[in-house]
Amino acid sequence: MTEHILKTPVEYLKGVGTQRADILKKDLGVFTYGDLLEHYPFRYIDRTRFYKIRELHGELPAVQVLGRIVSKEILGEKQAKRLVAQFKDETGSIELVWFQSIKWIDKTIQVGSVYMIFGKPGVFNGRVSVTHPEIEQYQPKAINRGNLALQPVYSSTEKLKQFNLDSRGLQKIQAHLIDQVIRQVDETLPAYILAGHKLMSRQKALFNIHFPDNTELLRSAERRLKFDELFFIQLKLLRTKLLRTHKFRGAVFSIVGDKFNTFYNDRLPFSLTEAQKRVIKEIRQDTQKGIQMNRLLQGDVGSGKTVVALMMMLLAIDNGFQACMMAPTEILAQQHYLSIKALVGDGLVEVEILTGSTSKKSRKALHERLENGSLHILVGTHALIEDAVQFQNLGLVVIDEQHRFGVEQRAKLWRKNSIPPHVLVMTATPIPRTLAMTLYGDLDVSVIDELPAGRKPIKTVHMYHSQRLRMFGFMREEIAKGRQIYIVYPLIKESEKLDLLYLEAGIEAISNEFPSPLYNISIVHGKLTAKEKSSEMERFVRRQTQIMVATTVIEVGVNVPNASVMIIENAERFGLSQLHQLRGRVGRGAEQSFCILMSGNKLSQDATVRLETMVRTNDGFEIAEIDLQLRGPGNIEGTQQSGVLDLKLADLALDQQILTEARQTVIKALEKDPELKNEENKLLSQYFERKSGGISWDKIS
């Protein structure tokens, strides 16, 4: 085992030292040799080609030029301060301009010396210039690593550049590192997997990702390292799932009893869709295996997840257990409580709600009824997690909008019975298949992929600011029919002041168009207290106001069947999944609903794709796939906190095939050798020995 060399602090590497190490830690998160080795190039450039100055124009990508600095001066004041150097070769001259790190660069570059510069040419006032080029003194005898036509480019920062750690500086220290450690890098995958998938060794892959000899070796290195990342994520998730099924027995719900049947036959106000029936069957099968269930229930907004959850809670009660449902906010908990109460009617089961604002007196009575078993279903917020909340026999936990809850919080619920309760996690944000496989690979997934009968698809239109009068006219028509309208403004943290101005200007325009007492408006934004927000929402729910203007994204799941129009201002500033979530606030009644996306005339390519997608489709899963391609997995709501997506190279939108391959390989290995005790899997069991330290939250959904 020589892998410990990769744990060496980066300051001990030749050419780094404490000062540079500090900035590497702060700016790149590089603490050890191993971290630096995994700071991969983000592209490769051809260093064999030098352009002449007369060949440069603004359409070119970043290029390399050889020339002499003939003069330099610092111009301008304060923000406009810049260092300008005249750079020439035998065909002409250009300006090199720096707006940052001026003092340091001024000290570094000498008039009269020959330099190699690398940067993107631009045109300013009819003259070609290069802003913030990489620059290094020309040394004809310098030895370059690897293939000159495939030189690595590393991401750097202004701070790092002040310590000579631009892309070239990073390349130099990578070269020192590879010379020192590459022969001591251990293999992580068993020989049979390497052979079966024709993968190169880890040593060879790490060498060729930094200094490839040719394109073919570079592609093979990328494939090997991507496979590694995705394979070990899947191995962790699937082994956790396997251990849990062996280790944790679960309650058996063997009876379909009185409560379930009465509800299904007499009280269910509509027919279940085929998708709902299929999902109920899947969950039902899980609860008969004697193994603790952990299932993710995905369904688009309004697909009827709550009814499925309720029927499963009734199943638990029929088998002598209690059930609870946890929602992220009080307003949502209240809503679940009211809809469950309305669905079950009187006399079937006892349902209560527990939130932060439940009075002390009510709490006491509630705790007693929970402990003596006379209370069957408890709906609530984080308040359910408190130690004082003790169930007589908790059999099923339903968690709504999973990404709002940390794993530790779920763990507390999980421990509220000697036999861990079954866990059903519901999410209204459809998750693309690849992302679900990576984030929730240890959960079984059920999908409700059809809407209840009688639901009309929401009509979505895209309008420009210049069409605002048409929009106002449409609003008047809908209000005249007795409908209500949401208007949402974006709120982006950096420009909160600006956004509130937008909102205030917007409210002013709307108040002029829709004057009181003829029309009433509710206003919700981040500067209001929770109580004020709640009371404004209440007024809208009770139909005391016709228009709700909001900056903060209106609560996920807030249900106002009478609201039939959603207007999203500056729609180009929202992400796709956010737009889809917002659109789902309408279309909850039987009436035709509309979503109007308002935007400026100038749209980026991504914004155009987002708005076109929204107009074209209501399918949350298709939208999630496009969102993943546009934004990459790191930003998809709720994945950041999971800590699972530690991907340096693999891209879930582009590398679906490698992910599937890696997952199948893990499944086969675990089927053959569940405990990884065979000699051929020694490297895989060593991986877990290295990783195991501290509390393992991964045992919980």
Side-chain angles (χ1 to χ4, degrees), residues 34 56-57 70 75-76 112 224 245 274 301 328 334 416 495 499 501 517 546 571 575 695:
L56 301 183
H57 55 83
V70 290
L75 302 169
R224 161 67 212 255
T245 53
E274 287 308 311
V301 176
Q334 189 72 35
K416 287 192 183 277
S495 58
D499 285 320
L501 285 177
Q546 295 97 339
I695 299 177

Side-chain angles (χ1 to χ4, degrees), residues 468-688:
R468 192 166 292 283
L469 290 176
R470 257 178 73 191
M471 179 193 90
F472 286 147
F474 178 68
M475 285 170 68
R476 280 194 198 89
E477 282 168 26
E478 286 297 298
I479 293 171
K481 290 179 195 164
R483 312 257 196 280
Q484 289 166 286
I485 294 173
Y486 292 109
I487 303 179
V488 178
Y489 285 81
L491 185 61
I492 295 166
K493 282 193 185 74
E494 293 89 277
S495 58
E496 229 166 90
K497 286 194 182 103
L498 183 71
D499 285 320
L500 277 172
L501 285 177
Y502 267 137
L503 176 78
E504 280 156 14
I507 291 168
E508 199 173 315
I510 289 156
S511 307
N512 291 337
E513 288 289 330
F514 298 92
S516 98
L518 209 57
Y519 300 95
N520 292 311
I521 301 172
S522 283
I523 297 167
V524 177
H525 57 75
K527 294 277 185 275
L528 299 179
T529 64
K531 200 173 174 188
E532 288 168 329
K533 273 188 219 171
S534 210
S535 90
E536 284 290 288
M537 286 294 302
E538 273 305 305
R539 288 175 62 213
F540 190 64
V541 171
R542 292 205 190 104
R543 302 196 189 187
Q544 292 165 354
T545 59
Q546 295 97 339
I547 300 171
M548 151 84 71
V549 182
T551 51
T552 51
V553 174
I554 303 161
E555 287 298 351
V556 177
V558 166
N559 192 357
V560 184
N562 192 48
S564 63
V565 182
M566 166 64 70
I567 294 167
I568 303 172
E569 289 283 0
N570 295 101
E572 71 273 23
R573 290 173 63 187
F574 287 96
L576 247 184
S577 66
Q578 227 181 350
L579 288 171
H580 181 61
Q581 280 286 339
L582 282 171
R583 173 168 64 185
R585 298 303 117 243
V586 295
R588 297 187 158 234
E591 306 305 330
Q592 177 63 59
S593 290
F594 302 89
C595 174
I596 300 176
L597 306 170
M598 300 298 294
S599 80
N601 289 337
K602 277 189 178 166
L603 294 176
S604 68
Q605 200 179 339
D606 276 6
T608 308
V609 172
R610 287 200 298 270
L611 299 182
E612 280 171 0
T613 303
M614 288 293 294
V615 171
R616 182 174 54 78
T617 179
N618 275 304
D619 178 347
F621 287 92
E622 188 186 341
I623 287 170
E625 282 289 353
I626 293 168
D627 199 27
L628 178 64
Q629 285 158 21
L630 286 177
R631 295 201 301 175
N635 306 327
I636 285 199
E637 214 172 347
T639 59
Q640 290 282 341
Q641 60 127 29
S642 65
V644 174
L645 281 183
D646 189 18
L647 298 175
K648 304 272 193 303
L649 261 190
D651 177 323
L652 293 183
L654 304 175
D655 299 319
Q656 301 197 2
Q657 201 184 336
I658 299 179
L659 172 60
T660 310
E661 214 178 304
R663 188 175 172 90
Q664 290 308 325
T665 310
V666 171
I667 290 169
K668 274 187 197 150
L670 290 174
E671 274 172 0
K672 209 168 142 192
D673 179 15
E675 295 185 18
L676 301 176
K677 282 187 172 164
N678 296 349
E679 185 57 32
E680 64 173 10
N681 286 322
K682 197 174 167 189
L683 289 177
L684 302 183
S685 60
Q686 282 172 353
Y687 167 81
F688 285 105

Side-chain angles (χ1 to χ4, degrees), residues 46 65 84-85 87 112 234 317 362 383 387 395 424 470 525 563 613 639:
D46 184 350
V65 188
V84 179
F87 183 71
Q234 292 300 323
I317 296 159
S362 310
D387 293 335
L424 182 66
R470 257 178 73 191
H525 57 75
T613 303
T639 59

